[in-house]
Amino acid sequence: DQQVKQNSPSLSVQEGRISILNCDYTNSMFDYFLWYKKYPAEGPTFLISISSIKDKNEDGRFTVFLNKSAKHLSLHIVPSQPGDSAVYFCAASAYYGGSQGNLIFGKGTKLSVKP
Amino acid sequence: DAGITQSPRHKVTETGTPVTLRCHQTENHRYMYWYRQDPGHGLRLIHYSYGVKDTDKGEVSDGYSVSRSKTEDFLLTLESATSSQTSVYFCAIGASGTSSYEQYFGPGTRLTVT
């Protein structure tokens, strides 16, 4: 039973255009959401996060939007650059009984940005 | 970059042999995690630790054990490796006492069981 779903295994975008990566979740207890980027042969690197008390968080070219009613979040990259080509993982966590919960990851979306 | 190293970075071993992977951190973080990454599965949690000698199981813990005798080291052991344990293994660390849940990952260990 997947609690965090990334339904698009891959996405191809032209350089300079917007990339939109989507993530859906099922657990209403999740209160923190993160995006990680992963290049081949490297570990995932933290990109951006958002708390459930917000609906938007922006960091440079990267913006994450959270729609709690739809249990949906998205990562926007504007403008997209060839160096953004990587696998992007969505992750979520919940705070249970006074301790932080473990991260639950989606399966990832491979983004290809073409020059 | 967070100070996380993993050793070895690559290993080929035979079915039935024991294997130990090491994760070392220099950040003094309380939480440490072991994940495996497989095509079509994303990152799945194997075991985690919330302090020295304090460990717990994750989603895919069968066939794996862990130990943490020092804050900086977290070991993952495959007692008798099987071909289904061929994977890329990532260690991660996380701080406690913060309002965020960010984890920082090591470079990974590619394990092949023949």
Side-chain angles (χ1 to χ4, degrees), chain A residues 6 8-9 11 19 21-22 34-39 45 47 61-62 75 77 81-91 105-113:
Chain A
Q6 294 178 257
S8 298
L11 174 68
S19 295
L21 296 98
N22 294 303
L34 307 88
W35 285 95
Y36 282 82
K37 178 170 71 173
K38 185 184 180 305
Y39 293 120
T45 55
L47 192 58
R61 297 186 298 114
F62 302 91
L75 174 68
I77 306 174
Q81 300 173 353
D84 296 328
S85 297
V87 176
Y88 289 79
F89 291 100
C90 172
F105 285 85
K107 294 184 178 182
T109 297
K110 183 176 182 179
L111 174 66
S112 299
V113 181

Side-chain angles (χ1 to χ4, degrees), chain A residues 32 36 38 43-44 95 100 102 107, chain B residues 37 40 48 95 100-101 103 106:
Chain A
Y32 203 80
Y36 282 82
K38 185 184 180 305
Y95 195 77
Q100 71 182 63
N102 294 323
K107 294 184 178 182
Chain B
Q37 186 199 4
Y48 65 100
S100 63
Y101 301 102
Q103 295 178 16

